[in-house]
């Protein structure tokens, strides 16, 4: 069964609105989750590392005020795209690292379309 | 120069063919090398990972790493239509004692195996 659940799988919104994407770890508690973005025919790019109980660590070039990350519990991290613009349209994927297995599990992804 | 280079294809082969997928990289600090399979509109799933140089075999899949050449390969024997997907290479400088979530991905190679 799925290890990581991501919701919603698809979302369409108007420019200027905010969209929240949830990532849940189903099988284990995760102190660290990761958010990636994937443009069509491009590789996955790490956006930020979400740390439970503390601030997320953002990669260079990623606006932390635009992509708000909250990791309030050991099983849930959320990514909120604020004041979305058409160029934010992308496939957002979260991942969770299982330290016991030494493996990274990915969610199914959320496709965001900003009109 | 991108840290990980991968030919996006597309690659189209008949059923039963041997498929060879490759990536090159520039960062000599990479220690862990992974291959992910991604079906359309889904999150990536781990196929294989290897540490440092060498070969690893799992069923019809063989992963090779040549650190001296900074070159990794994935071979698929007796390819099946169900193997049709995008294959992404990924790598990390981290050791297993720390997080492997910070991965560097190739663009992915789109593979189609026709019956």
């Amino acid at each position: 069964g799925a290890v990581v659940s991501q919701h919603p799988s698809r979302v369409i919104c108007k420019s200027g609105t905010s969209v929240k994407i949830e990532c849940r770890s189903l099988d284990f508690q995760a102190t660290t989750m990761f958010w990636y973005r994937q443009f069509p025919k491009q590789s996955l790019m790490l956006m930020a590392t979400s740390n439970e109980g503390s601030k997320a660590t953002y990669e260079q070039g990623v606006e932390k005020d635009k992509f708000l990350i909250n990791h309030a519990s050991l099983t849930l991290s959320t990514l909120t795209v604020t004041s979305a613009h058409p160029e934010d349209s992308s496939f957002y994927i979260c991942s969770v690292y299982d330290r016991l297995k030494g493996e990274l599990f990915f969610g199914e992804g959320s496709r965001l379309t900003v009109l | 120069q991108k840290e990980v280079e991968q030919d996006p294809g597309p690659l189209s082969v008949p059923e039963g063919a041997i498929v060879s997928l490759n990536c090159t990289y520039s960062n000599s600090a990479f220690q862990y090398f992974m291959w992910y399979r991604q079906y359309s509109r889904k999150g990536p799933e781990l196929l294989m990972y290897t540490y440092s140089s060498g070969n690893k075999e799992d069923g019809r899949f063989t992963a090779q790493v040549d650190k001296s050449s900074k070159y990794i390969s994935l071979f698929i024997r007796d390819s099946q239509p169900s193997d049709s997907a995008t294959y992404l290479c990924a790598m990390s400088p981290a050791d297993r004692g720390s997080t492997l979530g910070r991965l560097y991905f190739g663009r992915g190679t789109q593979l189609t195996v026709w019956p």
Side-chain angles (χ1 to χ4, degrees):
Chain A
V3 176
V4 181
S5 172
Q6 197 171 334
H7 178 80
S9 57
R10 302 193 109 176
V11 57
I12 300 173
C13 70
K14 291 182 179 180
S15 186
T17 61
S18 294
V19 174
K20 180 186 284 189
I21 301 169
E22 293 186 346
C23 178
R24 292 183 183 275
S25 174
L26 302 179
D27 279 4
F28 54 90
Q29 295 180 329
T31 56
T32 306
M33 296 186 183
F34 304 89
W35 287 97
Y36 287 83
R37 178 169 53 185
Q38 185 179 33
F39 291 107
K41 300 190 186 299
Q42 299 294 320
S43 62
L44 280 77
M45 299 296 295
L46 180 65
M47 298 176 65
T49 302
S50 172
N51 304 298
E52 188 269 336
S54 64
K55 292 182 179 180
T57 305
Y58 290 82
E59 295 300 303
Q60 190 174 8
V62 178
E63 299 175 59
K64 57 184 177 184
D65 293 331
K66 181 168 185 59
F67 299 99
L68 300 179
I69 291 173
N70 184 286
H71 194 153
S73 77
L74 288 170
T75 59
L76 175 64
S77 175
T78 60
L79 168 67
T80 301
V81 183
T82 62
S83 186
H85 290 130
E87 56 265 32
D88 298 325
S89 298
S90 186
F91 195 49
Y92 293 87
I93 307 175
C94 71
S95 66
V96 179
Y97 181 64
D98 185 340
R99 292 181 182 273
L100 290 179
K101 294 182 179 179
E103 187 174 335
L104 190 67
F105 293 93
F106 285 87
E108 293 280 271
S110 300
R111 184 164 299 282
L112 170 64
T113 303
V114 184
L115 303 175
Chain B
Q1 180 190 9
K2 288 187 178 180
E3 295 211 65
V4 183
E5 298 280 359
Q6 184 177 9
D7 186 340
L11 184 61
S12 182
V13 301
E15 183 175 357
I18 297 175
V19 176
S20 173
L21 305 166
N22 312 291
C23 288
T24 59
Y25 63 95
S26 57
N27 189 344
S28 57
F30 288 142
Q31 297 281 350
Y32 285 89
F33 305 90
M34 286 141 279
W35 286 96
Y36 285 85
R37 177 172 60 196
Q38 185 177 23
Y39 292 111
S40 181
R41 301 178 182 177
K42 298 289 186 181
E45 55 179 344
L46 181 66
L47 269 180
M48 298 184 73
Y49 77 87
T50 52
Y51 171 70
S52 195
S53 286
N55 293 1
K56 187 172 184 179
E57 188 173 321
D58 184 3
R60 297 184 294 111
F61 299 88
T62 300
Q64 288 186 351
V65 175
D66 181 349
K67 290 190 69 180
S68 63
S69 302
K70 296 189 178 67
Y71 186 87
I72 70 171
S73 302
L74 177 71
F75 297 96
I76 307 174
R77 291 186 300 280
D78 188 24
S79 56
Q80 303 294 311
S82 57
D83 295 328
S84 299
T86 296
Y87 290 81
L88 301 111
C89 62
M91 39 201 85
S92 168
D95 62 38
R96 296 200 73 183
S98 61
T99 180
L100 280 177
R102 211 211 181 294
L103 298 180
Y104 296 82
F105 282 87
R107 290 177 61 183
T109 300
Q110 185 180 345
L111 171 68
T112 300
V113 181
W114 42 276

